[in-house]
């Protein structure tokens, strides 16, 4: 069959502005409890590399959230006036040269990050309200607001759910094809 469509995966090569902007239709889902899933393939982390971002501003006007590598750590950054960070160090939240499934869940003020279905970050008192400026889009591969923090690798299977998934649900569905 010559009309076959092949799988295409975007490659991010640390080039500023090499992000994928997600439609603003996502914003109402992020105003309440949610789960975000993404698979990443990193070819090596250097300084800050953003998997996804819905954030803007510096302390005092910081709103949104980011999931990123920062040197040898996986960082969850959440802002509602000022930035709150939670991370795992020593490369524990990172794998270089292989596909890894990440999920971020938010239930009220409780935020969690899972790596291949294993909880690696948990914060019970992060901001519940992370409303971000309607002018700042949700982006994959780099932050729209901060330049020079582009992803170095590939991203695929980006999913957003209007529910908080459990570790068991994440493990059971992470390799499932959506139809």
């Amino acid at each position: 069959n010559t009309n076959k469509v092949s799988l295409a995966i975007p490659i991010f090569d640390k080039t500023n502005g090499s992000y994928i902007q997600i439609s603003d239709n996502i914003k109402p889902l992020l105003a309440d409890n949610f789960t975000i899933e993404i698979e990443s393939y990193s070819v090596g982390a250097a300084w800050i590399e953003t998997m996804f971002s819905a954030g803007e501003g510096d302390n005092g006007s910081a709103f949104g959230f980011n999931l990123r590598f920062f040197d040898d750590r996986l960082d969850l950054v959440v802002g509602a006036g000022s930035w709150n960070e939670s991370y795992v160090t020593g490369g524990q939240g990172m794998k270089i040269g292989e596909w890894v499934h990440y999920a971020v869940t938010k239930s009220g003020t409780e935020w969690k990050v899972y790596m291949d279905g294993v909880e690696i970050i948990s914060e019970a008192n992060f901001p519940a309200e992370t409303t971000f400026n309607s002018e700042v889009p949700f982006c994959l591969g780099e932050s729209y607001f901060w330049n020079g923090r582009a992803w170095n690798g590939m991203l695929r299977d980006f999913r957003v759910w209007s529910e908080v998934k459990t570790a068991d649900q994440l493990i059971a569905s992470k390799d499932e094809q959506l139809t």
Side-chain angles (χ1 to χ4, degrees):
N1 183 353
T2 59
N3 295 324
K4 195 179 226 181
V5 176
S6 296
L7 175 66
I9 299 172
I11 297 173
F12 301 88
D13 62 358
K14 291 285 296 167
T15 302
N16 287 342
S18 63
Y19 57 81
I20 296 173
Q21 181 175 328
I22 304 300
S23 164
D24 284 348
N25 294 343
I26 194 174
K27 291 180 180 181
L29 290 173
L30 303 176
D32 203 0
N33 298 333
F34 61 79
T35 298
I36 296 174
E37 295 180 80
I38 195 164
E39 287 190 346
S40 73
Y41 186 100
S42 175
V43 296
W47 194 56
I48 298 176
E49 296 185 6
T50 304
M51 266 188 258
F52 57 79
S53 174
E56 64 167 319
D58 293 318
N59 282 332
S61 64
F63 293 93
F65 55 93
N66 302 282
L67 186 65
R68 64 190 190 183
F69 286 172
F70 191 145
D71 292 328
D72 75 336
R73 69 186 199 209
L74 177 69
D75 240 356
L76 173 65
V77 185
V78 178
S82 63
W83 290 115
N84 300 274
E85 284 186 79
S86 188
Y87 51 85
V88 290
T89 59
Q92 295 175 23
M94 304 167 65
K95 289 184 182 175
I96 307 299
E98 62 184 275
W99 285 103
V100 180
H101 178 267
Y102 290 97
V104 174
T105 64
K106 176 191 164 286
S107 177
T109 61
E110 184 174 28
W111 292 71
K112 294 182 179 182
V113 178
Y114 297 85
M115 181 177 158
D116 289 330
V118 177
E119 182 182 309
I120 58 172
I121 295 175
S122 180
E123 287 294 334
N125 295 306
F126 263 15
E129 292 291 325
T130 61
T131 306
F132 50 96
N133 184 320
S134 61
E135 300 300 315
V136 176
F138 188 101
C139 294
L140 302 178
E142 187 176 23
S143 167
Y144 181 84
F145 188 79
W146 298 280
N147 291 322
R149 300 176 181 190
W151 185 250
N152 191 18
M154 297 176 280
L155 299 170
R156 69 179 183 194
D157 293 338
F158 172 69
R159 304 171 183 190
V160 181
W161 307 97
S162 60
E163 64 182 281
V164 178
K165 297 215 175 213
T166 66
D168 289 340
Q169 289 173 314
L170 293 169
I171 290 169
S173 67
K174 72 182 184 78
D175 296 320
E176 188 176 294
Q177 290 260 315
L178 299 179
T179 57

